[in-house]
Each structure stands twice: as structure tokens, then as C-alpha cells.
Amino acid sequence: MTNYILAVSTAILLNSCSSVYQTANNHEDSANINAVAHFVDEQKLPSLDKISPFTLRKFMALDDQHIAVMGSNKKHFILTMPVDCKDMKFAKKINIFSAVENELQVGQDKITRIGDSYSPCIISGIYAISQVQFDELAHLNREIRSGKDNYPTGI
């Protein structure tokens, strides 16, 4: 009986610790997503339905729902994904699946982490940004992640 009570107590304790970690982690993720969403609103970034032509040259994973990208034409964009897109912030490499070659379209095209078992994430928004704004996002990204685990940025 003592072993049973000990086992149940241990399971409850471990579950509680896991929940606290998960809540803290979700709070950090929420803060990161809110920071990027605030940047988009504050900068009054123009929303686009598609980018044409587009060939990915570099990217910066900002959080699970936002990636900043630069195309071969040196134009910069923020790509947004739905909230069910998980762990995109850890992306070291990404692949973009386009319905039309050399073009990105909202609601049709998808992004996935290379070497990942996660499902591709649909692109739900595209925002045009300048090189200066891209650099500001890189700075914001470093600030958000300072003092935490260093996430790869893809740059």
C-alpha cells in the first residue's frame, strides 16, 4: 500500500512540474508571438495575397507563427502561419511548398521544417517589409530570446 501511495504521489508531482513548465513555456511563446504581431500592427505593414517572383534566399524564425524571409530579389517579407503550427521557432532549415513555381500564395502554399516529422504549415499571411524592418526584427528576435535557450535563426 505504501508503494502504491508513493507511486501515485510521484505521478502527481511529476505531472504538476510538467504543467508548470508547459505553462511557463506557453507564456513565453505567447509573448514572442504578441511582440511580432505588435510589430506588424505598429509598422502598418501592407498585407499581400501573393509574392511573385519569389525564391527563398534566407529566413529568420521569429516564433511558431512568424518567419521573416528574404527572396532572391532581396525583398523581405514576414510569413504568418496558423496557431496550430508547432515548434517553427526551432527551424534551422525550412522548405516551402508552392502550388505555382517561384510564387508564394496565402492559403495555398506551405512551410515545413526540414528533417522534421511535423505537418507542413499553411501560409496564412504575407507582409512586405524593408531591409531596415528586417534588421529591426532580427534585433527584436535577439532581445526576445536573450537569456533563454538560443534558437537557431536560419541566417
Side-chain angles (χ1 to χ4, degrees):
M1 183 68 167
T2 304
N3 287 340
Y4 176 76
I5 292 172
L6 183 61
V8 169
S9 298
T10 302
I12 290 170
L13 179 63
L14 289 174
N15 188 31
S16 297
C17 291
S18 173
S19 296
V20 168
Y21 174 76
Q22 192 172 25
T23 301
N25 219 18
N26 289 345
H27 178 69
E28 289 174 5
D29 290 347
S30 177
N32 295 355
I33 292 165
N34 289 338
V36 177
H38 178 72
F39 181 87
V40 169
D41 289 341
E42 182 182 75
Q43 298 287 317
K44 297 178 176 40
L45 299 178
S47 178
L48 306 171
D49 292 329
K50 68 179 180 177
I51 308 170
S52 183
F54 182 81
T55 303
L56 181 67
R57 287 295 172 234
K58 66 180 178 178
F59 79 97
M60 175 174 41
L62 301 170
D63 55 44
D64 287 343
Q65 278 75 52
H66 301 94
I67 292 181
V69 296
M70 182 181 85
S72 58
N73 55 5
K74 297 193 179 187
K75 291 187 179 181
H76 299 81
F77 305 91
I78 295 175
L79 306 180
T80 62
M81 290 146 302
V83 294
D84 64 348
C85 188
K86 302 291 182 207
D87 295 331
M88 192 58 75
K89 67 184 173 201
F90 298 114
K92 292 180 183 178
K93 295 179 181 180
I94 62 172
N95 196 6
I96 297 177
F97 299 99
S98 300
V100 178
E101 189 175 346
N102 297 322
E103 184 174 283
L104 281 184
Q105 292 184 336
V106 170
Q108 280 193 319
D109 298 334
K110 300 175 183 177
I111 298 174
T112 191
R113 291 172 32 192
I114 292 179
D116 203 346
S117 62
Y118 292 103
S119 299
C121 300
I122 276 195
I123 297 171
S124 59
I126 300 173
Y127 299 92
I129 59 174
S130 67
Q131 173 69 51
V132 171
Q133 290 168 319
F134 187 87
D135 294 341
E136 286 177 32
L137 281 169
H139 179 73
L140 176 65
N141 198 31
R142 282 190 297 274
E143 281 182 4
I144 289 171
R145 295 171 188 220
S146 66
K148 300 176 190 161
D149 292 334
N150 290 329
Y151 302 118
T153 61
I155 294 179

